[in-house]
Each structure stands twice: as structure tokens, then as C-alpha cells.
Amino acid sequence: SVQNVALGVADAGYAVPLTVMAFFALPLVFGLIWGRGFCAGVCPHGAIQDLVLVKPLKVPGWLDEALRVGPWIYLGLGVLFAATGGLFLICKCDPFVVIFRMSGSRFMMITGAVLLVLSMFVGRPYCRYLCPYGALMGLVSRVAKWRPTVTPDTCTQCRLCESSCPFGALTKGTPEAREAPGGRRRRTMIQLIGIPIAALVFGWIGGGVGTASMEWHPAGELAELLVLEESGALGDERPDELVAFYHSDGNHAAAFRRAAAAEAQATKLGWLIGAILGMVLVVKIARALNPVRPVDYETDSGRCVSCARCYSACPYELVRRGVPVTLPEGGNGA
């Protein structure tokens, strides 16, 4: 649905079906209100990974933060290729659809199997480090009205919730200080200096990727075939694309103009997406180098998939729900 919407925005002649719009928009609307409930209760990709999770291991913080850039890169490439009319990359490279359908390329079946094996020890690796829609869900969930919280009333730093989350979505509490001295100033300086530089550098890289994406664009493929035909490299046999071309208008000049226009559009869109990715990367780096620590344990609303594991681990949350428990420090549950 992300790709359909991207193509619909970029190409006025492409009509996006209402059902596709609903698939795209409804989870985001619910995410604005309740967080990532779609990831926990609807998405089959998350379900199949949860099904095989047997011994979750903690991913080092620096590595986890670095790998979480992956969904944004994947999303940017998927939007770029789809919006230029070249390739639906996310559909082509979905690692779990081939498992659900029991058919697909051997490479994607192997990729899906490797991810499932990894999912036995790393909580939802695809959702955390690859899922492009998950990037959008995480973004809207940060401003959700009713976000999941593991400590609704009281936190005694009992740490029972700390090991309950296999997705790295819990922020450890630090009663001594909410933020390292000068952390906000350093974070602001990194963003002020780094954002414009990263926007230029990654914009340039994105423009190059956009130009290179013409290899998969129909207009680009046709132009390349025409060049090869004029040079005699194709021999006597014409590919189906050329046969169809000559049965239509057969105008070489018009075909090259269409390819040039599509290349210009792909390059501009690549610049835009690359610049946005660069800014996201700088914000993530600033956050990783100068983290803000809450007083109590808190769920990271952008990363939390609303699985409720931490709810079942927190004794005060269990008391709030009317479950008899023994509270830390000698308190008794209701």
C-alpha cells in the first residue's frame, strides 16, 4: 500500500483503489491514537516472528540504534522506485510472503528462513531493522494520545520489566539524573551542524540512486534497448519490449524524451528522499550520543509494539488490573 500511494501521488494518471488507501491509512490513524497496536494484533509478519521466539537476547544499544536506520532506508528506496514507476521493491523483496504463499524466488525463501532462525534469538528482527511500514508506525506512535506505559502510577525500580521486553523498547530509569549535563546542548549542536551537511550528502547519494533506478523503469529499459539495437548489439532477434514498441508509435525521439523526463523525476525524488534520510540519521545519532533518561522505566512509544509483555511483568500494573500479587518492598496486592 505504501508503494501504491507513492505512485498515486507522483503519477496523476494512476488511481489508487479505496481498499488500498484503507490498508495504508487506517493503521496509521489508529497509531496516532493508541500506538502500534497494529503491529501486535494484526500484522502477520510480527506474528510469525513471535511464534518462533524462544530465547531472546539483548542487542547492544549502539548496534540496535544503528540497525534501526534500516527501515528508513528501505522505505526511501521503496517509495523512490514505486513513485518513478519503476519497481515495487517492497513487494518483490518481502521475506515472509513467500513463506505464507509457499512460492517465490529461492533467494527470498532463504532470506525468510534466515530471518525466522534469527527471530528465535532476536525479538522481531524484521520489524525492528527492516520493515518500512514499521518506520511510519513508529513515527506516528510517538505522538499517540494513549501510548502504552509500563509504570502508570508507581515505579520502584524493581527491574522486573527490564528483561520482559525482547524488542529493545524499554528505556531504563535513572533516578539520579534525567539527562547528562550538557546533553541537550550537545544534541542541539549536533543537529544544527549535522542536519544540513547530511541533507546535502545523502541528497547527492539519493540523486545518484534515483538516476540508477532507471535501469528498472520501463522507459529507461526501452531507451537502453533502442541504444543497443542501434549499435547492433541485439543481433537479429528483437525483445518483446521492442516488438511492442514498433507496433505502437515506434518513435525513437519520443521514447528518449520519455526516458529523459523519467530520469529527471527520479533524480529529483532521489535527492528529496536522500536528504530526508540524512536528517533522520543525524537525529538518531544525536539521540544515541546524548540520550535522555527518564526517572522511571518507560516504554519507547516509537519502538513499542504494544505486545503487553511488560504489563504482565510489572507488579503495580497487575495490582491496577486486580491481579493478586506481592508488591516489592513488602506491599501486598489487592
Side-chain angles (χ1 to χ4, degrees):
S1 65
V2 174
Q3 298 163 115
N4 284 114
V5 171
L7 181 56
V9 171
D11 184 357
Y14 180 78
V16 182
L18 290 178
T19 52
V20 174
M21 286 296 299
F23 271 109
F24 172 76
L26 286 179
L28 298 178
V29 171
F30 277 86
L32 284 170
I33 304 172
W34 293 292
R36 298 180 64 166
F38 172 84
C39 299
V42 181
C43 181
H45 286 50
I48 194 173
Q49 292 172 90
D50 282 350
L51 189 66
V52 299
L53 181 64
V54 292
K55 187 176 178 58
L57 303 176
K58 185 176 180 180
V59 179
W62 63 270
L63 180 60
D64 182 71
E65 196 70 39
L67 291 176
R68 286 184 185 273
V69 179
W72 292 100
I73 296 175
Y74 194 6
L75 176 64
L77 291 174
V79 169
L80 174 61
F81 289 158
T84 54
L87 174 71
F88 272 29
L89 179 69
I90 299 172
C91 293
K92 190 177 182 65
C93 299
D94 191 305
F96 296 131
V97 166
V98 294
I99 295 176
F100 295 137
R101 294 177 177 170
M102 298 302 292
S103 66
S105 70
R106 180 179 300 177
F107 174 76
M108 291 315 304
M109 285 187 172
I110 293 174
T111 302
V114 169
L115 280 171
L116 284 182
V117 172
L118 185 61
S119 299
M120 296 173 66
F121 309 103
V122 178
R124 295 197 179 195
Y126 177 80
C127 300
R128 292 161 70 180
Y129 308 132
L130 284 174
C131 180
Y133 196 76
L136 296 177
M137 286 297 304
L139 187 64
V140 300
S141 296
R142 291 195 180 280
V143 295
K145 181 173 177 59
W146 292 293
R147 297 189 292 266
T149 171
V150 69
T151 51
D153 299 311
T154 306
C155 180
T156 60
Q157 302 288 319
C158 67
R159 305 184 66 179
L160 292 176
C161 64
E162 188 173 351
S163 60
S164 68
C165 178
F167 310 125
L170 269 179
T171 303
K172 186 176 181 180
T174 53
E176 299 82 8
R178 292 184 64 86
E179 188 171 15
R184 180 177 299 179
R185 184 171 61 253
R186 287 193 299 269
R187 191 165 55 249
T188 302
M189 289 300 297
I190 291 173
Q191 292 174 354
L192 287 176
I193 297 172
I195 283 179
I197 296 175
L200 288 173
V201 173
F202 282 84
W204 176 74
I205 295 174
V209 173
T211 302
S213 71
M214 290 303 297
E215 180 179 346
W216 297 284
H217 193 284
E221 291 180 352
L222 178 60
E224 180 65 22
L225 288 174
L226 290 175
V227 170
L228 292 175
E229 183 188 41
E230 291 174 357
S231 66
L234 294 180
D236 297 331
E237 293 187 7
R238 283 181 174 174
D240 293 340
E241 293 84 352
L242 285 183
V243 174
F245 170 69
Y246 285 115
H247 276 83
S248 57
D249 60 359
N251 189 325
H252 283 222
F256 286 122
R257 283 196 300 270
R258 287 193 294 268
E263 182 176 341
Q265 181 191 29
T267 303
K268 291 178 182 178
L269 187 58
W271 264 94
L272 176 61
I273 293 175
I276 294 174
L277 288 176
M279 290 187 284
V280 169
L281 181 61
V282 170
V283 171
K284 283 184 170 293
I285 291 174
R287 172 181 170 173
L289 294 178
N290 303 280
V292 178
R293 298 294 185 186
V295 173
D296 297 327
Y297 278 86
E298 289 185 0
T299 52
D300 186 319
S301 56
R303 298 178 178 182
C304 175
V305 296
S306 302
C307 69
R309 285 176 170 87
C310 57
Y311 278 39
S312 299
C314 177
Y316 283 94
E317 170 62 24
L318 294 176
V319 167
R320 190 180 70 85
R321 289 157 53 183
V323 179
V325 295
T326 300
L327 294 175
E329 301 181 355
N332 292 317

